[in-house]
Amino acid sequence: MVYDCIIIGGGIAGLQAAIQLGRYAMHDVLVIDSDDGRSKICRSYRNLLGYPGGVSGDTLRQAGLAQAADYGIEVITDTILEASGIASDLFELRGSKPGSEPYQSRTLLIATGVMDRLPDYPELRPCLGLTVFVCPDCDGYEIRNRSTLVLGAGDVGANMALTLRTWTDKLLYLDQAPESQSVSASLQEKLAAASIAYQRAEHLRVHADCDGNLQGVTLQDGTRIEADRAFLAYGGNEVRSSLARRLGAKLHENSHIWTDSRSKMTSVSGVWAAGDVAVHSEQVSIAMGEGAQAAIWIHKTLLKMKQPQQQ
């Protein structure tokens, strides 16, 4: 089967696009989701209109999947490994399932997102979005006037701590980078000037309860540090733009996908991108908007493909 549009990524941007396309009730749309996106691990988004108490990424995803199903949108779980253009208006995708047939579509939307580099502390996972955060624009508000740990690496963590100084003066940056990659002298001076405590801590143990409440950390020497809030800043987040690169799409220097600001189409005709993979905003509200924006222009393009005589 040749689909009208395949959406790669079933997170916030991808599902919003699917819903928009589904409401036109005239396109065959497939969503292919690897089921390991950023929105799956966030326990609470608190800066969204209509959710003053917060809403989890999983709740949004499940609601989006149900809405998409109501419009007849097909959603499958697979990881796309290869993407190529096989004609002027036809793309082919190959997934990871052994022996599966390739997927074909007239248009593509890449909504594969970004995945944070998270430390290997299982105790932190239930805390993400509740008491442990990664985005100061989203959640700096949550630490106002609170004692807060910054768990990070080198200059990346130092810059995060300096950013968070806007909300609290009770900050401790625990630098987990190897000594050869620890904070530069100039940034150590800035930390000191901002009264941000700094300590090297390559190895530590995290304490949290099963409800996502951070309780603190224990350092290698046995010192226990109590804290009920933390930010993570290790750098090296994965921008999932490899499929766009294979298709020949233009990328920014930071590996995010370049898109036209009006239509969200990439530099490759028939290929769109939306959400965190396309712009370094890392906001759920923007991902939703870009998903809908891309879908509107995909619809316009499909109309021209199906009815070329119409202007």
Side-chain angles (χ1 to χ4, degrees), residues 239-263:
V239 183
R240 294 176 166 175
S241 57
S242 60
L243 294 176
R245 181 180 286 107
R246 290 189 180 94
L247 290 165
K250 177 182 175 182
L251 303 183
H252 293 284
E253 290 183 0
N254 60 7
S255 295
H256 289 264
I257 305 170
W258 178 91
T259 60
D260 177 78
S261 60
R262 186 182 185 201
S263 67

mmCIF file with all atom_site columns, all heavy atoms in Angstrom, residues 239-263:
data_model
loop_
_atom_site.group_PDB
_atom_site.id
_atom_site.type_symbol
_atom_site.label_atom_id
_atom_site.label_alt_id
_atom_site.label_comp_id
_atom_site.label_asym_id
_atom_site.label_entity_id
_atom_site.label_seq_id
_atom_site.pdbx_PDB_ins_code
_atom_site.Cartn_x
_atom_site.Cartn_y
_atom_site.Cartn_z
_atom_site.occupancy
_atom_site.B_iso_or_equiv
_atom_site.pdbx_formal_charge
_atom_site.auth_seq_id
_atom_site.auth_comp_id
_atom_site.auth_asym_id
_atom_site.auth_atom_id
_atom_site.pdbx_PDB_model_num
ATOM 1   N N   . VAL A 1 239 ? 19.816 14.324 18.926 1.00 0.00 ? 239 VAL A N   1
ATOM 2   C CA  . VAL A 1 239 ? 18.871 14.919 17.980 1.00 0.00 ? 239 VAL A CA  1
ATOM 3   C C   . VAL A 1 239 ? 18.609 13.874 16.898 1.00 0.00 ? 239 VAL A C   1
ATOM 4   O O   . VAL A 1 239 ? 19.511 13.521 16.136 1.00 0.00 ? 239 VAL A O   1
ATOM 5   C CB  . VAL A 1 239 ? 19.421 16.208 17.356 1.00 0.00 ? 239 VAL A CB  1
ATOM 6   C CG1 . VAL A 1 239 ? 18.384 16.831 16.427 1.00 0.00 ? 239 VAL A CG1 1
ATOM 7   C CG2 . VAL A 1 239 ? 19.834 17.191 18.447 1.00 0.00 ? 239 VAL A CG2 1
ATOM 8   N N   . ARG A 1 240 ? 17.393 13.392 16.822 1.00 0.00 ? 240 ARG A N   1
ATOM 9   C CA  . ARG A 1 240 ? 17.093 12.242 15.972 1.00 0.00 ? 240 ARG A CA  1
ATOM 10  C C   . ARG A 1 240 ? 16.767 12.657 14.535 1.00 0.00 ? 240 ARG A C   1
ATOM 11  O O   . ARG A 1 240 ? 15.633 12.510 14.067 1.00 0.00 ? 240 ARG A O   1
ATOM 12  C CB  . ARG A 1 240 ? 15.962 11.434 16.602 1.00 0.00 ? 240 ARG A CB  1
ATOM 13  C CG  . ARG A 1 240 ? 16.399 10.809 17.932 1.00 0.00 ? 240 ARG A CG  1
ATOM 14  C CD  . ARG A 1 240 ? 15.294 10.079 18.639 1.00 0.00 ? 240 ARG A CD  1
ATOM 15  N NE  . ARG A 1 240 ? 15.831 9.233  19.712 1.00 0.00 ? 240 ARG A NE  1
ATOM 16  C CZ  . ARG A 1 240 ? 15.083 8.555  20.563 1.00 0.00 ? 240 ARG A CZ  1
ATOM 17  N NH1 . ARG A 1 240 ? 13.765 8.607  20.487 1.00 0.00 ? 240 ARG A NH1 1
ATOM 18  N NH2 . ARG A 1 240 ? 15.643 7.819  21.503 1.00 0.00 ? 240 ARG A NH2 1
ATOM 19  N N   . SER A 1 241 ? 17.782 13.155 13.878 1.00 0.00 ? 241 SER A N   1
ATOM 20  C CA  . SER A 1 241 ? 17.616 13.696 12.522 1.00 0.00 ? 241 SER A CA  1
ATOM 21  C C   . SER A 1 241 ? 18.311 12.855 11.462 1.00 0.00 ? 241 SER A C   1
ATOM 22  O O   . SER A 1 241 ? 18.482 13.308 10.330 1.00 0.00 ? 241 SER A O   1
ATOM 23  C CB  . SER A 1 241 ? 18.151 15.125 12.467 1.00 0.00 ? 241 SER A CB  1
ATOM 24  O OG  . SER A 1 241 ? 19.507 15.180 12.874 1.00 0.00 ? 241 SER A OG  1
ATOM 25  N N   . SER A 1 242 ? 18.729 11.636 11.798 1.00 0.00 ? 242 SER A N   1
ATOM 26  C CA  . SER A 1 242 ? 19.495 10.838 10.845 1.00 0.00 ? 242 SER A CA  1
ATOM 27  C C   . SER A 1 242 ? 18.702 10.500 9.590  1.00 0.00 ? 242 SER A C   1
ATOM 28  O O   . SER A 1 242 ? 19.271 10.426 8.488  1.00 0.00 ? 242 SER A O   1
ATOM 29  C CB  . SER A 1 242 ? 20.002 9.554  11.514 1.00 0.00 ? 242 SER A CB  1
ATOM 30  O OG  . SER A 1 242 ? 18.914 8.767  11.980 1.00 0.00 ? 242 SER A OG  1
ATOM 31  N N   . LEU A 1 243 ? 17.391 10.292 9.717  1.00 0.00 ? 243 LEU A N   1
ATOM 32  C CA  . LEU A 1 243 ? 16.583 9.991  8.534  1.00 0.00 ? 243 LEU A CA  1
ATOM 33  C C   . LEU A 1 243 ? 16.536 11.178 7.588  1.00 0.00 ? 243 LEU A C   1
ATOM 34  O O   . LEU A 1 243 ? 16.606 11.011 6.359  1.00 0.00 ? 243 LEU A O   1
ATOM 35  C CB  . LEU A 1 243 ? 15.170 9.582  8.946  1.00 0.00 ? 243 LEU A CB  1
ATOM 36  C CG  . LEU A 1 243 ? 15.050 8.270  9.724  1.00 0.00 ? 243 LEU A CG  1
ATOM 37  C CD1 . LEU A 1 243 ? 13.606 8.051  10.150 1.00 0.00 ? 243 LEU A CD1 1
ATOM 38  C CD2 . LEU A 1 243 ? 15.545 7.092  8.885  1.00 0.00 ? 243 LEU A CD2 1
ATOM 39  N N   . ALA A 1 244 ? 16.424 12.369 8.146  1.00 0.00 ? 244 ALA A N   1
ATOM 40  C CA  . ALA A 1 244 ? 16.438 13.570 7.306  1.00 0.00 ? 244 ALA A CA  1
ATOM 41  C C   . ALA A 1 244 ? 17.764 13.699 6.568  1.00 0.00 ? 244 ALA A C   1
ATOM 42  O O   . ALA A 1 244 ? 17.811 14.064 5.391  1.00 0.00 ? 244 ALA A O   1
ATOM 43  C CB  . ALA A 1 244 ? 16.178 14.806 8.166  1.00 0.00 ? 244 ALA A CB  1
ATOM 44  N N   . ARG A 1 245 ? 18.840 13.389 7.258  1.00 0.00 ? 245 ARG A N   1
ATOM 45  C CA  . ARG A 1 245 ? 20.166 13.446 6.622  1.00 0.00 ? 245 ARG A CA  1
ATOM 46  C C   . ARG A 1 245 ? 20.242 12.465 5.461  1.00 0.00 ? 245 ARG A C   1
ATOM 47  O O   . ARG A 1 245 ? 20.763 12.785 4.387  1.00 0.00 ? 245 ARG A O   1
ATOM 48  C CB  . ARG A 1 245 ? 21.251 13.155 7.653  1.00 0.00 ? 245 ARG A CB  1
ATOM 49  C CG  . ARG A 1 245 ? 22.668 13.225 7.085  1.00 0.00 ? 245 ARG A CG  1
ATOM 50  C CD  . ARG A 1 245 ? 23.734 12.926 8.115  1.00 0.00 ? 245 ARG A CD  1
ATOM 51  N NE  . ARG A 1 245 ? 23.898 14.041 9.057  1.00 0.00 ? 245 ARG A NE  1
ATOM 52  C CZ  . ARG A 1 245 ? 23.484 14.032 10.310 1.00 0.00 ? 245 ARG A CZ  1
ATOM 53  N NH1 . ARG A 1 245 ? 22.855 12.956 10.796 1.00 0.00 ? 245 ARG A NH1 1
ATOM 54  N NH2 . ARG A 1 245 ? 23.681 15.055 11.097 1.00 0.00 ? 245 ARG A NH2 1
ATOM 55  N N   . ARG A 1 246 ? 19.714 11.254 5.655  1.00 0.00 ? 246 ARG A N   1
ATOM 56  C CA  . ARG A 1 246 ? 19.741 10.256 4.584  1.00 0.00 ? 246 ARG A CA  1
ATOM 57  C C   . ARG A 1 246 ? 18.923 10.707 3.373  1.00 0.00 ? 246 ARG A C   1
ATOM 58  O O   . ARG A 1 246 ? 19.245 10.360 2.236  1.00 0.00 ? 246 ARG A O   1
ATOM 59  C CB  . ARG A 1 246 ? 19.215 8.914  5.094  1.00 0.00 ? 246 ARG A CB  1
ATOM 60  C CG  . ARG A 1 246 ? 20.141 8.223  6.092  1.00 0.00 ? 246 ARG A CG  1
ATOM 61  C CD  . ARG A 1 246 ? 19.656 6.809  6.371  1.00 0.00 ? 246 ARG A CD  1
ATOM 62  N NE  . ARG A 1 246 ? 20.523 6.119  7.310  1.00 0.00 ? 246 ARG A NE  1
ATOM 63  C CZ  . ARG A 1 246 ? 20.326 6.071  8.616  1.00 0.00 ? 246 ARG A CZ  1
ATOM 64  N NH1 . ARG A 1 246 ? 19.281 6.682  9.146  1.00 0.00 ? 246 ARG A NH1 1
ATOM 65  N NH2 . ARG A 1 246 ? 21.161 5.422  9.407  1.00 0.00 ? 246 ARG A NH2 1
ATOM 66  N N   . LEU A 1 247 ? 17.876 11.447 3.628  1.00 0.00 ? 247 LEU A N   1
ATOM 67  C CA  . LEU A 1 247 ? 17.035 11.939 2.540  1.00 0.00 ? 247 LEU A CA  1
ATOM 68  C C   . LEU A 1 247 ? 17.629 13.160 1.856  1.00 0.00 ? 247 LEU A C   1
ATOM 69  O O   . LEU A 1 247 ? 17.094 13.630 0.850  1.00 0.00 ? 247 LEU A O   1
ATOM 70  C CB  . LEU A 1 247 ? 15.636 12.270 3.074  1.00 0.00 ? 247 LEU A CB  1
ATOM 71  C CG  . LEU A 1 247 ? 14.791 11.058 3.471  1.00 0.00 ? 247 LEU A CG  1
ATOM 72  C CD1 . LEU A 1 247 ? 13.603 11.497 4.320  1.00 0.00 ? 247 LEU A CD1 1
ATOM 73  C CD2 . LEU A 1 247 ? 14.316 10.303 2.228  1.00 0.00 ? 247 LEU A CD2 1
ATOM 74  N N   . GLY A 1 248 ? 18.722 13.690 2.415  1.00 0.00 ? 248 GLY A N   1
ATOM 75  C CA  . GLY A 1 248 ? 19.378 14.846 1.825  1.00 0.00 ? 248 GLY A CA  1
ATOM 76  C C   . GLY A 1 248 ? 18.868 16.184 2.323  1.00 0.00 ? 248 GLY A C   1
ATOM 77  O O   . GLY A 1 248 ? 19.155 17.226 1.725  1.00 0.00 ? 248 GLY A O   1
ATOM 78  N N   . ALA A 1 249 ? 18.121 16.185 3.436  1.00 0.00 ? 249 ALA A N   1
ATOM 79  C CA  . ALA A 1 249 ? 17.568 17.432 3.963  1.00 0.00 ? 249 ALA A CA  1
ATOM 80  C C   . ALA A 1 249 ? 18.669 18.261 4.628  1.00 0.00 ? 249 ALA A C   1
ATOM 81  O O   . ALA A 1 249 ? 19.610 17.733 5.218  1.00 0.00 ? 249 ALA A O   1
ATOM 82  C CB  . ALA A 1 249 ? 16.460 17.141 4.974  1.00 0.00 ? 249 ALA A CB  1
ATOM 83  N N   . LYS A 1 250 ? 18.508 19.538 4.559  1.00 0.00 ? 250 LYS A N   1
ATOM 84  C CA  . LYS A 1 250 ? 19.448 20.476 5.176  1.00 0.00 ? 250 LYS A CA  1
ATOM 85  C C   . LYS A 1 250 ? 19.290 20.434 6.696  1.00 0.00 ? 250 LYS A C   1
ATOM 86  O O   . LYS A 1 250 ? 18.178 20.461 7.217  1.00 0.00 ? 250 LYS A O   1
ATOM 87  C CB  . LYS A 1 250 ? 19.176 21.885 4.656  1.00 0.00 ? 250 LYS A CB  1
ATOM 88  C CG  . LYS A 1 250 ? 20.034 22.975 5.272  1.00 0.00 ? 250 LYS A CG  1
ATOM 89  C CD  . LYS A 1 250 ? 19.628 24.330 4.709  1.00 0.00 ? 250 LYS A CD  1
ATOM 90  C CE  . LYS A 1 250 ? 20.385 25.470 5.385  1.00 0.00 ? 250 LYS A CE  1
ATOM 91  N NZ  . LYS A 1 250 ? 19.940 26.796 4.865  1.00 0.00 ? 250 LYS A NZ  1
ATOM 92  N N   . LEU A 1 251 ? 20.426 20.386 7.383  1.00 0.00 ? 251 LEU A N   1
ATOM 93  C CA  . LEU A 1 251 ? 20.422 20.402 8.842  1.00 0.00 ? 251 LEU A CA  1
ATOM 94  C C   . LEU A 1 251 ? 21.139 21.637 9.355  1.00 0.00 ? 251 LEU A C   1
ATOM 95  O O   . LEU A 1 251 ? 22.028 22.178 8.695  1.00 0.00 ? 251 LEU A O   1
ATOM 96  C CB  . LEU A 1 251 ? 21.132 19.161 9.400  1.00 0.00 ? 251 LEU A CB  1
ATOM 97  C CG  . LEU A 1 251 ? 20.617 17.791 8.986  1.00 0.00 ? 251 LEU A CG  1
ATOM 98  C CD1 . LEU A 1 251 ? 21.400 16.697 9.700  1.00 0.00 ? 251 LEU A CD1 1
ATOM 99  C CD2 . LEU A 1 251 ? 19.129 17.635 9.248  1.00 0.00 ? 251 LEU A CD2 1
ATOM 100 N N   . HIS A 1 252 ? 20.762 22.102 10.532 1.00 0.00 ? 252 HIS A N   1
ATOM 101 C CA  . HIS A 1 252 ? 21.494 23.155 11.210 1.00 0.00 ? 252 HIS A CA  1
ATOM 102 C C   . HIS A 1 252 ? 22.800 22.582 11.760 1.00 0.00 ? 252 HIS A C   1
ATOM 103 O O   . HIS A 1 252 ? 22.992 21.363 11.821 1.00 0.00 ? 252 HIS A O   1
ATOM 104 C CB  . HIS A 1 252 ? 20.664 23.740 12.356 1.00 0.00 ? 252 HIS A CB  1
ATOM 105 C CG  . HIS A 1 252 ? 19.448 24.485 11.901 1.00 0.00 ? 252 HIS A CG  1
ATOM 106 N ND1 . HIS A 1 252 ? 19.502 25.742 11.353 1.00 0.00 ? 252 HIS A ND1 1
ATOM 107 C CD2 . HIS A 1 252 ? 18.139 24.132 11.922 1.00 0.00 ? 252 HIS A CD2 1
ATOM 108 C CE1 . HIS A 1 252 ? 18.281 26.154 11.053 1.00 0.00 ? 252 HIS A CE1 1
ATOM 109 N NE2 . HIS A 1 252 ? 17.432 25.190 11.395 1.00 0.00 ? 252 HIS A NE2 1
ATOM 110 N N   . GLU A 1 253 ? 23.677 23.449 12.203 1.00 0.00 ? 253 GLU A N   1
ATOM 111 C CA  . GLU A 1 253 ? 24.956 22.999 12.748 1.00 0.00 ? 253 GLU A CA  1
ATOM 112 C C   . GLU A 1 253 ? 24.771 22.100 13.967 1.00 0.00 ? 253 GLU A C   1
ATOM 113 O O   . GLU A 1 253 ? 25.603 21.243 14.248 1.00 0.00 ? 253 GLU A O   1
ATOM 114 C CB  . GLU A 1 253 ? 25.832 24.202 13.118 1.00 0.00 ? 253 GLU A CB  1
ATOM 115 C CG  . GLU A 1 253 ? 26.362 24.969 11.914 1.00 0.00 ? 253 GLU A CG  1
ATOM 116 C CD  . GLU A 1 253 ? 27.270 26.108 12.317 1.00 0.00 ? 253 GLU A CD  1
ATOM 117 O OE1 . GLU A 1 253 ? 27.481 26.290 13.539 1.00 0.00 ? 253 GLU A OE1 1
ATOM 118 O OE2 . GLU A 1 253 ? 27.766 26.813 11.426 1.00 0.00 ? 253 GLU A OE2 1
ATOM 119 N N   . ASN A 1 254 ? 23.676 22.294 14.700 1.00 0.00 ? 254 ASN A N   1
ATOM 120 C CA  . ASN A 1 254 ? 23.428 21.476 15.889 1.00 0.00 ? 254 ASN A CA  1
ATOM 121 C C   . ASN A 1 254 ? 22.613 20.213 15.585 1.00 0.00 ? 254 ASN A C   1
ATOM 122 O O   . ASN A 1 254 ? 22.076 19.574 16.494 1.00 0.00 ? 254 ASN A O   1
ATOM 123 C CB  . ASN A 1 254 ? 22.727 22.301 16.965 1.00 0.00 ? 254 ASN A CB  1
ATOM 124 C CG  . ASN A 1 254 ? 21.376 22.838 16.504 1.00 0.00 ? 254 ASN A CG  1
ATOM 125 O OD1 . ASN A 1 254 ? 20.887 22.498 15.425 1.00 0.00 ? 254 ASN A OD1 1
ATOM 126 N ND2 . ASN A 1 254 ? 20.767 23.680 17.318 1.00 0.00 ? 254 ASN A ND2 1
ATOM 127 N N   . SER A 1 255 ? 22.506 19.874 14.286 1.00 0.00 ? 255 SER A N   1
ATOM 128 C CA  . SER A 1 255 ? 21.849 18.650 13.795 1.00 0.00 ? 255 SER A CA  1
ATOM 129 C C   . SER A 1 255 ? 20.330 18.714 13.780 1.00 0.00 ? 255 SER A C   1
ATOM 130 O O   . SER A 1 255 ? 19.679 17.752 13.364 1.00 0.00 ? 255 SER A O   1
ATOM 131 C CB  . SER A 1 255 ? 22.298 17.408 14.588 1.00 0.00 ? 255 SER A CB  1
ATOM 132 O OG  . SER A 1 255 ? 23.663 17.158 14.377 1.00 0.00 ? 255 SER A OG  1
ATOM 133 N N   . HIS A 1 256 ? 19.729 19.828 14.200 1.00 0.00 ? 256 HIS A N   1
ATOM 134 C CA  . HIS A 1 256 ? 18.289 19.968 14.036 1.00 0.00 ? 256 HIS A CA  1
ATOM 135 C C   . HIS A 1 256 ? 17.971 20.203 12.562 1.00 0.00 ? 256 HIS A C   1
ATOM 136 O O   . HIS A 1 256 ? 18.790 20.723 11.810 1.00 0.00 ? 256 HIS A O   1
ATOM 137 C CB  . HIS A 1 256 ? 17.765 21.120 14.887 1.00 0.00 ? 256 HIS A CB  1
ATOM 138 C CG  . HIS A 1 256 ? 17.792 20.830 16.350 1.00 0.00 ? 256 HIS A CG  1
ATOM 139 N ND1 . HIS A 1 256 ? 16.691 20.364 17.038 1.00 0.00 ? 256 HIS A ND1 1
ATOM 140 C CD2 . HIS A 1 256 ? 18.782 20.913 17.261 1.00 0.00 ? 256 HIS A CD2 1
ATOM 141 C CE1 . HIS A 1 256 ? 17.004 20.179 18.307 1.00 0.00 ? 256 HIS A CE1 1
ATOM 142 N NE2 . HIS A 1 256 ? 18.274 20.502 18.466 1.00 0.00 ? 256 HIS A NE2 1
ATOM 143 N N   . ILE A 1 257 ? 16.767 19.829 12.161 1.00 0.00 ? 257 ILE A N   1
ATOM 144 C CA  . ILE A 1 257 ? 16.398 19.885 10.758 1.00 0.00 ? 257 ILE A CA  1
ATOM 145 C C   . ILE A 1 257 ? 15.924 21.290 10.384 1.00 0.00 ? 257 ILE A C   1
ATOM 146 O O   . ILE A 1 257 ? 15.056 21.856 11.064 1.00 0.00 ? 257 ILE A O   1
ATOM 147 C CB  . ILE A 1 257 ? 15.278 18.873 10.443 1.00 0.00 ? 257 ILE A CB  1
ATOM 148 C CG1 . ILE A 1 257 ? 15.700 17.459 10.869 1.00 0.00 ? 257 ILE A CG1 1
ATOM 149 C CG2 . ILE A 1 257 ? 14.936 18.886 8.953  1.00 0.00 ? 257 ILE A CG2 1
ATOM 150 C CD1 . ILE A 1 257 ? 14.566 16.442 10.808 1.00 0.00 ? 257 ILE A CD1 1
ATOM 151 N N   . TRP A 1 258 ? 16.486 21.823 9.313  1.00 0.00 ? 258 TRP A N   1
ATOM 152 C CA  . TRP A 1 258 ? 16.019 23.114 8.799  1.00 0.00 ? 258 TRP A CA  1
ATOM 153 C C   . TRP A 1 258 ? 14.634 22.932 8.190  1.00 0.00 ? 258 TRP A C   1
ATOM 154 O O   . TRP A 1 258 ? 14.368 21.958 7.471  1.00 0.00 ? 258 TRP A O   1
ATOM 155 C CB  . TRP A 1 258 ? 16.965 23.649 7.722  1.00 0.00 ? 258 TRP A CB  1
ATOM 156 C CG  . TRP A 1 258 ? 16.483 24.948 7.136  1.00 0.00 ? 258 TRP A CG  1
ATOM 157 C CD1 . TRP A 1 258 ? 16.793 26.195 7.556  1.00 0.00 ? 258 TRP A CD1 1
ATOM 158 C CD2 . TRP A 1 258 ? 15.576 25.104 6.027  1.00 0.00 ? 258 TRP A CD2 1
ATOM 159 N NE1 . TRP A 1 258 ? 16.133 27.135 6.787  1.00 0.00 ? 258 TRP A NE1 1
ATOM 160 C CE2 . TRP A 1 258 ? 15.381 26.497 5.849  1.00 0.00 ? 258 TRP A CE2 1
ATOM 161 C CE3 . TRP A 1 258 ? 14.915 24.213 5.189  1.00 0.00 ? 258 TRP A CE3 1
ATOM 162 C CZ2 . TRP A 1 258 ? 14.568 27.013 4.846  1.00 0.00 ? 258 TRP A CZ2 1
ATOM 163 C CZ3 . TRP A 1 258 ? 14.077 24.723 4.191  1.00 0.00 ? 258 TRP A CZ3 1
ATOM 164 C CH2 . TRP A 1 258 ? 13.917 26.098 4.036  1.00 0.00 ? 258 TRP A CH2 1
ATOM 165 N N   . THR A 1 259 ? 13.722 23.866 8.483  1.00 0.00 ? 259 THR A N   1
ATOM 166 C CA  . THR A 1 259 ? 12.402 23.849 7.862  1.00 0.00 ? 259 THR A CA  1
ATOM 167 C C   . THR A 1 259 ? 12.005 25.254 7.459  1.00 0.00 ? 259 THR A C   1
ATOM 168 O O   . THR A 1 259 ? 12.466 26.249 8.025  1.00 0.00 ? 259 THR A O   1
ATOM 169 C CB  . THR A 1 259 ? 11.317 23.304 8.819  1.00 0.00 ? 259 THR A CB  1
ATOM 170 O OG1 . THR A 1 259 ? 11.252 24.139 9.988  1.00 0.00 ? 259 THR A OG1 1
ATOM 171 C CG2 . THR A 1 259 ? 11.598 21.873 9.210  1.00 0.00 ? 259 THR A CG2 1
ATOM 172 N N   . ASP A 1 260 ? 11.138 25.330 6.475  1.00 0.00 ? 260 ASP A N   1
ATOM 173 C CA  . ASP A 1 260 ? 10.541 26.601 6.093  1.00 0.00 ? 260 ASP A CA  1
ATOM 174 C C   . ASP A 1 260 ? 9.640  27.081 7.233  1.00 0.00 ? 260 ASP A C   1
ATOM 175 O O   . ASP A 1 260 ? 8.813  26.310 7.735  1.00 0.00 ? 260 ASP A O   1
ATOM 176 C CB  . ASP A 1 260 ? 9.731  26.428 4.809  1.00 0.00 ? 260 ASP A CB  1
ATOM 177 C CG  . ASP A 1 260 ? 9.020  27.702 4.402  1.00 0.00 ? 260 ASP A CG  1
ATOM 178 O OD1 . ASP A 1 260 ? 9.665  28.607 3.844  1.00 0.00 ? 260 ASP A OD1 1
ATOM 179 O OD2 . ASP A 1 260 ? 7.794  27.800 4.673  1.00 0.00 ? 260 ASP A OD2 1
ATOM 180 N N   . SER A 1 261 ? 9.790  28.318 7.629  1.00 0.00 ? 261 SER A N   1
ATOM 181 C CA  . SER A 1 261 ? 9.063  28.809 8.803  1.00 0.00 ? 261 SER A CA  1
ATOM 182 C C   . SER A 1 261 ? 7.556  28.826 8.598  1.00 0.00 ? 261 SER A C   1
ATOM 183 O O   . SER A 1 261 ? 6.795  28.731 9.567  1.00 0.00 ? 261 SER A O   1
ATOM 184 C CB  . SER A 1 261 ? 9.551  30.211 9.175  1.00 0.00 ? 261 SER A CB  1
ATOM 185 O OG  . SER A 1 261 ? 9.333  31.113 8.102  1.00 0.00 ? 261 SER A OG  1
ATOM 186 N N   . ARG A 1 262 ? 7.103  28.933 7.365  1.00 0.00 ? 262 ARG A N   1
ATOM 187 C CA  . ARG A 1 262 ? 5.670  29.007 7.101  1.00 0.00 ? 262 ARG A CA  1
ATOM 188 C C   . ARG A 1 262 ? 5.023  27.623 7.009  1.00 0.00 ? 262 ARG A C   1
ATOM 189 O O   . ARG A 1 262 ? 3.956  27.392 7.573  1.00 0.00 ? 262 ARG A O   1
ATOM 190 C CB  . ARG A 1 262 ? 5.416  29.768 5.796  1.00 0.00 ? 262 ARG A CB  1
ATOM 191 C CG  . ARG A 1 262 ? 3.935  30.008 5.514  1.00 0.00 ? 262 ARG A CG  1
ATOM 192 C CD  . ARG A 1 262 ? 3.741  30.722 4.192  1.00 0.00 ? 262 ARG A CD  1
ATOM 193 N NE  . ARG A 1 262 ? 2.340  31.052 3.972  1.00 0.00 ? 262 ARG A NE  1
ATOM 194 C CZ  . ARG A 1 262 ? 1.816  31.301 2.778  1.00 0.00 ? 262 ARG A CZ  1
ATOM 195 N NH1 . ARG A 1 262 ? 2.606  31.279 1.711  1.00 0.00 ? 262 ARG A NH1 1
ATOM 196 N NH2 . ARG A 1 262 ? 0.547  31.589 2.644  1.00 0.00 ? 262 ARG A NH2 1
ATOM 197 N N   . SER A 1 263 ? 5.691  26.696 6.314  1.00 0.00 ? 263 SER A N   1
ATOM 198 C CA  . SER A 1 263 ? 5.064  25.412 6.015  1.00 0.00 ? 263 SER A CA  1
ATOM 199 C C   . SER A 1 263 ? 5.634  24.248 6.802  1.00 0.00 ? 263 SER A C   1
ATOM 200 O O   . SER A 1 263 ? 5.025  23.180 6.847  1.00 0.00 ? 263 SER A O   1
ATOM 201 C CB  . SER A 1 263 ? 5.218  25.112 4.524  1.00 0.00 ? 263 SER A CB  1
ATOM 202 O OG  . SER A 1 263 ? 6.586  24.883 4.209  1.00 0.00 ? 263 SER A OG  1
#
